[in-house]
Structure formats: C-alpha cells, structure tokens
Amino acid sequence: MNKLLILNILFFLLVSCVSKEKKEAEFYVETQTSFFGLNHSDWTKSKWIRKPENLKMIHETFKKFGYEKLESGIYESENLFIANGIYIKRNFDNVLDSLELSYNHPEMQTKYYSEFWNRRKAERNDSIVYEIIREFNSLKSHKKRLNYENEFVNDTLVDLLKIEFDNDNLNSEKAKSDFYTLKKYGLHQSAYNLLYERAEYSELELDREKLKKELTKATEFTYPWLIDTEK
C-alpha cells in the first residue's frame, strides 16, 4: 500500500472522528443576559451600548469592580490604543483630555472632536459620555478608585467580571464557587466550559463529572458568556 493511499485513509478516519465528535457534543442551556454583547459583539455597531441608561449601568458597574482590573483588555502606545477590537490612532490620554475640554465648547473643537460630540448629541447620550470621560480623567490624575452609585450597579455583571478578570489567586475552591455562580444565573454552557474548556481551570482539582450532572442539557448550542478557549 503506497504512502498516498495510507495518508488518504488516515485523513478519512480523522474526518470521521471529528464529525462523530461534533454530533455527540453536549449542549447546555444558556440564559442570554441583556448585556451579553459586551463580551461578544462589535461595540461600534451596538445600539444597546449607546443607550444612556446602559452606559450609566456599565460605568457604575465597572467602577464597583475596578476599572484598573480591566486594563488587560486595552493596548496603548504613544499614538495608538486598542480596546475591544476598536483601533484609534491617537494618544489615549490626549483624546480624553481634549474630549473633556471641548464638550459644549465649539470654539475648541477640531473636526474630530466636533464630529464626536455631534454624534453623541444625536444619540442623546452626550451627558453620560461626558460624565464617564470626566471621571476617567479624574482616575488618571488621582490614581484611586472611583466612588460608584450602587443603585445603577448590575451585580450579575460584577460577578461575571470577577470570574473572568479576578483570577490572581485562582484555586479549586474559587473554581467551584465560579461554577455555582454561573449555574445560578442560568449560564450552564458557560459552567460546562469552566469545567472542561478553560485553560485557567484545567489543572485544578474538581469533581467535574459530578458537577456536570447538575447542569441542564439543551438540544441546540447557544453561544455562552464564558467561551471555550481550549479549541
């Protein structure tokens, strides 16, 4: 049997195994939170995030959790910053300072800042955007945690942020607590991913099969909050 035929047979067997594995994949229920798009959508196209009440909720929630803990998702250099896949070829600090100074001061606005504030006013979210920018600049200057307004905080989002970003002292006890937090909020596919599909949890000692039995299966896949990072 020549090498080409052997390779073709192996390829066929591998494809068969992949197809079979896909058919036998386990799906679990996953509640879609109102803020789901924060994790898995293009913010530049999101109508949800442009609503003033949602911006307020996100801002106060991030303040409670700690903006400084979210900095790992931001890349910044002298004349470029990237956040959530959005590239802006400007200095981050200069942009924030100029946006704060130019708000409601047309005489100080260049084309970039004029267009920015005109868009915000058209969306009727300019006042909350200004508040966020002003507090951001205060955070840069004083290097201390911002006070938050608890009535606007979304505690579900705080708990989910703790699972994704507060993992400096991750151990089996915290992993189990994270599992039950996801389950409590109806994020069973996310809880399954925590058990089997997340690198940061993979070496921890957990009774995975026992915990998995507590999850509710689904007939179709729903995109989860806590995604699979193992494939």
Side-chain angles (χ1 to χ4, degrees), residues 11-24:
F11 178 77
F12 173 79
L13 290 172
L14 286 171
V15 170
S16 300
C17 290
V18 170
S19 299
K20 184 179 180 183
E21 185 177 68
K22 189 173 181 181
K23 286 180 182 177
E24 293 179 353

Side-chain angles (χ1 to χ4, degrees), residues 1-223:
M1 190 180 292
N2 62 49
K3 288 184 180 179
L4 182 59
L5 181 55
I6 292 171
L7 287 172
N8 284 336
I9 291 170
L10 285 173
F11 178 77
F12 173 79
L13 290 172
L14 286 171
V15 170
S16 300
C17 290
V18 170
S19 299
K20 184 179 180 183
E21 185 177 68
K22 189 173 181 181
K23 286 180 182 177
E24 293 179 353
E26 295 178 286
F27 304 140
Y28 294 86
V29 299
E30 182 84 1
T31 301
Q32 293 292 294
T33 63
S34 61
F35 50 81
F36 182 82
L38 286 177
N39 230 10
H40 306 300
S41 73
D42 182 349
W43 286 20
T44 64
K45 298 176 182 177
S46 172
K47 293 181 180 179
W48 184 89
I49 205 171
R50 285 174 163 73
K51 294 180 179 179
E53 63 272 21
N54 294 335
L55 282 167
K56 179 70 173 176
M57 180 274 284
I58 293 166
H59 181 50
E60 297 302 328
T61 301
F62 284 4
K63 282 197 290 182
K64 180 173 182 177
F65 176 69
Y67 267 107
E68 70 280 0
K69 296 177 184 177
L70 300 169
E71 289 179 354
S72 60
I74 298 174
Y75 169 79
E76 183 181 355
S77 65
E78 186 177 352
N79 290 303
L80 170 72
F81 68 91
I82 307 168
N84 197 46
I86 301 169
Y87 291 68
I88 298 181
K89 293 182 178 180
R90 291 174 180 270
N91 180 275
F92 184 64
D93 291 339
N94 290 346
V95 166
L96 291 184
D97 289 340
S98 297
L99 285 171
E100 181 181 356
L101 290 170
S102 63
Y103 181 59
N104 278 340
H105 291 284
E107 73 280 3
M108 300 179 65
Q109 294 177 359
T110 62
K111 183 173 183 290
Y112 176 86
Y113 299 108
S114 174
E115 289 179 350
F116 177 92
W117 285 121
N118 285 339
R119 285 196 300 272
R120 302 292 80 78
K121 288 174 180 178
E123 295 166 355
R124 299 181 180 180
N125 59 24
D126 57 299
S127 59
I128 182 59
V129 170
Y130 173 70
E131 179 185 327
I132 292 170
I133 290 170
R134 183 175 56 79
E135 291 198 334
F136 250 119
N137 286 337
S138 172
L139 179 66
K140 287 189 303 171
S141 302
H142 299 101
K143 303 293 183 183
K144 62 180 182 180
R145 291 285 293 271
L146 297 170
N147 294 325
Y148 59 87
E149 298 177 61
N150 203 52
E151 72 238 59
F152 297 105
V153 169
N154 187 305
D155 288 320
T156 301
L157 180 55
V158 171
D159 287 344
L160 295 178
L161 291 172
K162 287 178 181 177
I163 290 173
E164 286 209 70
F165 294 97
D166 201 3
N167 283 321
D168 289 342
N169 298 305
L170 186 59
N171 54 35
S172 297
E173 185 178 343
K174 183 180 185 303
K176 193 172 180 180
S177 173
D178 290 348
F179 171 87
Y180 280 111
T181 296
L182 292 169
K183 183 188 171 189
K184 175 179 72 172
Y185 291 129
L187 305 176
H188 290 220
Q189 186 68 51
S190 292
Y192 174 84
N193 286 347
L194 180 151
L195 294 176
Y196 295 102
E197 311 294 354
R198 298 284 294 195
E200 67 269 33
Y201 293 95
S202 61
E203 300 300 320
L204 298 177
E205 190 172 322
L206 292 167
D207 192 340
R208 287 174 167 78
E209 286 301 306
K210 181 181 178 182
L211 291 171
K212 185 178 75 169
K213 289 176 182 177
E214 298 185 28
L215 301 176
T216 303
K217 288 192 174 184
T219 56
E220 295 181 352
F221 176 76
T222 302
Y223 204 78

